[in-house]
Amino acid sequence: MAIDPESGPPLSTLTTDAEREDVREVADILARKWSLEVLTQLQQDGPYRFNELKRQLGVTPKVLTDCLRELTETGLVERTVHSESPPHVEYDLAERGYELQQIAAEMAAWTGAADAAPTVLVVDAAVPTNVRFSGWLSEGYTVERVSEIAHLSGEQLERADVVLCHHHQLLDDRTDLLDRLEDGSTAAGVVHVTDHRQSLATHDRAVELVEPVLKDELLQAVRTLLPDGAGPERAESSSATDRREERSR
Amino acid sequence: MAIDPESGPPLSTLTTDAEREDVREVADILARKWSLEVLTQLQQDGPYRFNELKRQLGVTPKVLTDCLRELTETGLVERTVHSESPPHVEYDLAERGYELQQIAAEMAAWTGAADAAPTVLVVDAAVPTNVRFSGWLSEGYTVERVSEIAHLSGEQLERADVVLCHHHQLLDDRTDLLDRLEDGSTAAGVVHVTDHRQSLATHDRAVELVEPVLKDELLQAVRTLLPDGAGPERAESSSATDRREERSR
DNA sequence: CTGAATCCTTTAAGATACTG
DNA sequence: CAGTATCTTAAAGGATTCAG
């Protein structure tokens, strides 16, 4: 398991089935299409009536009914019936609904932080090499590892800003992802690590390094491949949203 | 995450659609039936091979394949192909998978904390009364509010240790939940608040209070209705798991 | 105004059998 | 050993219509 030992272990583990079941119940609500929309809307604009909310979110009545029923039953939203004429119903955020949004905000911050740090995908280095490279990159970068480039998924490649791989891997079974890596049609830059110089840098977003590779050499190579010199020291300045927009263009 | 409302408002709000979408993606994974099982299993017992994991969890191969594919594509699990003979495949927790479990643990702690504090359900007090009662109870109790007892859901009643309601509400439209409240067949105790004494305490888990109700009077009444004198000062001692077992018997 | 009732489509999950 | 292929079921989301 790839946990860096230097950080003191908070190591809260989900040991019991009951705990995991609790998490699944909470996550199930957050995963529903309209739950968070309703919660944030209620938090921002105080109480809402049914049709107000319906118009605001652009959701069909059945779905909103289902959603609000679940949220009130789980104590995240308060439903108040006002009997004055004309009678109406108000929905407002409950204390637990507020608390849940704080947790949701942590989740967003977590993914945001990973998006903000450039991601380096280390492909199939032998274990000692892998550990060495990962250690060098662990500050300032999000590091992912993949055993064989043949099994690389499109999603992983999309998350990567730089792919770091041993050259011999690039000679094996061809895949379309591999082709895209070599012809430079991916957003990610490529660092080839080879045992002997082979002049493989086939496009301007590819760099070749020959073993033995030094730490500064690797970091420098990675840095040149990031968009306009954005590196770990500048990673903090670009928000998660900025990077998301960058990547989805 | 211990969110105490009296601390200055961290008030992280989920303002953008992108943030809510991120949360939904993460929550969707946690809500899946086997994701957390796989993650905790990998965390506890190092790397696993496919069939090992399959036997351990008692899951069909298709479902495990789907689950592992999603977890590796999202970078939570590392998949390593060992080509020595006999060749085999290993799955292990990735750094992000470890981080996600920390968040999951916070979610479990959050629901656990709510379970650990006795829950008082305040039914349909007029707004000023409601605020007054809720304020008195806010330390040491989880407080929920419901506007009309007629709309009380079974789930809410099950979460409640004590139901605090105005007596006139109990005379209106009958529901089965209301019957259960009055005949004492619910786990929850009942505090009736009336304007004039009416001798309504029909069972030993019901208490009648006459306005004006004093803070100490209310807190004392609530305390007598909790199982064997467990109150807010003892709430910390009983773990979330203990209370869950209590309630599900 | 606030939903309930109906119908349709998609997807997770499980069971079962089969393959490189 | 490590999956894939097929089929079935159940629940969620959505559109539309109807009702208290």
Side-chain angles (χ1 to χ4, degrees):
Chain A
M1 188 177 62
I3 296 163
D4 56 344
E6 70 251 31
S7 72
L11 202 64
S12 8
T13 340
L14 261 21
T15 49
T16 72
D17 274 0
E19 283 174 319
R20 289 190 286 267
E21 191 48 40
D22 282 347
V23 172
R24 238 158 59 77
E25 278 174 27
V26 176
D28 185 53
I29 292 177
L30 289 178
R32 293 260 218 294
K33 190 160 188 180
W34 296 104
S35 305
L36 256 186
E37 305 296 326
V38 168
L39 291 177
T40 56
Q41 197 65 42
L42 290 180
Q43 177 160 44
Q44 286 166 14
D45 291 358
Y48 265 94
R49 294 161 64 157
F50 185 86
N51 280 337
E52 270 179 339
L53 202 49
K54 173 175 163 307
R55 276 189 299 274
Q56 191 73 28
L57 301 177
V59 64
T60 61
K62 171 191 178 296
V63 174
L64 184 56
T65 301
D66 292 349
C67 180
L68 287 172
R69 194 196 311 283
E70 169 152 51
L71 292 177
T72 57
E73 284 181 356
T74 52
L76 300 168
V77 162
E78 283 176 28
R79 177 185 189 273
T80 310
V81 180
H82 293 267
S83 304
E84 319 96 57
S85 62
H88 64 279
V89 183
E90 275 188 351
Y91 294 91
D92 202 356
L93 200 63
E95 174 65 22
R96 283 183 64 79
Y98 171 80
E99 292 168 5
L100 182 56
Q101 281 194 80
Q102 301 305 112
I103 292 185
E106 286 186 19
M107 294 168 69
W110 176 63
T111 65
D115 281 357
T119 296
V120 179
L121 190 62
V122 180
V123 178
D124 198 339
V127 174
T129 316
N130 192 323
V131 169
R132 183 167 50 110
F133 288 167
S134 301
W136 290 346
L137 294 164
S138 63
E139 300 128 54
Y141 297 96
T142 299
V143 180
E144 283 194 42
R145 272 170 284 191
V146 162
S147 66
E148 286 190 13
I149 200 164
H151 297 112
L152 181 63
S153 75
E155 300 191 22
Q156 285 178 308
L157 185 51
E158 278 195 27
R159 276 198 307 274
D161 295 290
V162 172
V163 178
L164 170 62
C165 55
H166 280 185
H167 176 258
H168 63 82
Q169 282 294 323
L170 291 182
L171 298 178
D172 293 1
D173 19 332
R174 312 297 306 178
T175 71
D176 50 345
L177 290 179
L178 207 158
D179 290 337
R180 293 181 50 208
L181 261 183
E182 287 200 355
D183 66 18
S185 68
T186 68
V190 186
V191 176
H192 298 293
V193 175
T194 63
D195 290 329
H196 313 288
R197 172 156 294 280
Q198 300 179 312
S199 298
L200 298 158
T202 54
H203 58 86
D204 61 350
R205 296 183 52 73
V207 169
E208 184 182 1
L209 297 179
V210 180
E211 291 280 19
V213 174
L214 303 178
K215 178 174 181 179
D216 286 345
E217 191 181 6
L218 178 65
L219 293 180
Q220 175 59 30
V222 168
R223 211 171 297 125
T224 62
L225 291 171
L226 295 175
D228 64 8
E233 61 288 322
R234 301 173 47 112
E236 305 305 85
S237 63
S238 72
S239 76
T241 314
D242 290 344
R243 283 202 60 77
R244 182 190 331 288
E245 282 158 2
E246 266 177 47
R247 201 170 290 160
S248 63
R249 53 121 186 82
Chain B
M1 180 183 68
I3 305 167
D4 49 352
E6 70 253 31
S7 75
L11 197 67
S12 6
T13 341
L14 261 22
T15 48
T16 72
D17 274 359
E19 282 173 321
R20 290 191 286 266
E21 192 47 40
D22 282 347
V23 172
R24 240 159 57 78
E25 277 174 28
V26 175
D28 184 54
I29 291 176
L30 289 178
R32 292 262 218 298
K33 191 162 190 178
W34 298 103
S35 304
L36 256 187
E37 305 296 326
V38 167
L39 291 177
T40 56
Q41 197 64 42
L42 290 180
Q43 176 159 46
Q44 284 165 16
D45 290 358
Y48 266 93
R49 293 159 66 154
F50 184 87
N51 281 336
E52 271 180 338
L53 202 49
K54 173 175 163 308
R55 275 189 301 273
Q56 191 73 27
L57 301 176
V59 63
T60 60
K62 170 191 177 296
V63 174
L64 184 56
T65 302
D66 292 348
C67 180
L68 286 173
R69 194 193 310 281
E70 169 152 51
L71 293 177
T72 56
E73 284 181 355
T74 52
L76 300 168
V77 163
E78 282 176 28
R79 177 184 190 275
T80 310
V81 180
H82 294 266
S83 303
E84 318 95 56
S85 62
H88 64 280
V89 181
E90 274 187 351
Y91 293 91
D92 201 354
L93 200 62
E95 175 65 22
R96 284 183 63 79
Y98 171 79
E99 292 168 4
L100 182 56
Q101 280 193 82
Q102 301 304 113
I103 291 185
E106 287 185 19
M107 293 169 69
W110 175 62
T111 64
D115 282 357
T119 296
V120 179
L121 189 62
V122 180
V123 177
D124 196 340
V127 174
T129 316
N130 192 323
V131 170
R132 184 167 49 111
F133 288 168
S134 301
W136 290 346
L137 294 163
S138 63
E139 299 129 53
Y141 297 96
T142 298
V143 180
E144 282 194 42
R145 275 169 282 191
V146 162
S147 66
E148 286 190 12
I149 200 164
H151 296 112
L152 182 63
S153 75
E155 300 190 22
Q156 285 178 309
L157 185 51
E158 277 195 28
R159 276 199 307 273
D161 296 289
V162 172
V163 177
L164 170 62
C165 55
H166 279 187
H167 174 259
H168 63 83
Q169 283 293 321
L170 291 183
L171 298 177
D172 294 359
D173 21 331
R174 313 296 308 176
T175 70
D176 51 341
L177 290 178
L178 206 158
D179 290 338
R180 293 181 50 207
L181 262 183
E182 285 199 356
D183 66 17
S185 68
T186 68
V190 186
V191 177
H192 298 293
V193 176
T194 63
D195 290 328
H196 314 286
R197 172 156 294 281
Q198 301 179 309
S199 299
L200 298 158
T202 53
H203 58 88
D204 60 351
R205 296 183 51 74
V207 170
E208 184 183 0
L209 297 180
V210 180
E211 293 278 21
V213 174
L214 303 178
K215 177 173 181 179
D216 285 347
E217 191 181 5
L218 178 65
L219 292 180
Q220 175 60 30
V222 169
R223 212 172 295 124
T224 62
L225 291 171
L226 296 175
D228 64 6
E233 61 286 323
R234 301 173 46 113
E236 305 304 86
S237 64
S238 71
S239 76
T241 314
D242 290 343
R243 284 201 57 76
R244 183 190 331 286
E245 281 158 3
E246 266 177 45
R247 200 171 291 160
S248 64
R249 54 126 181 77

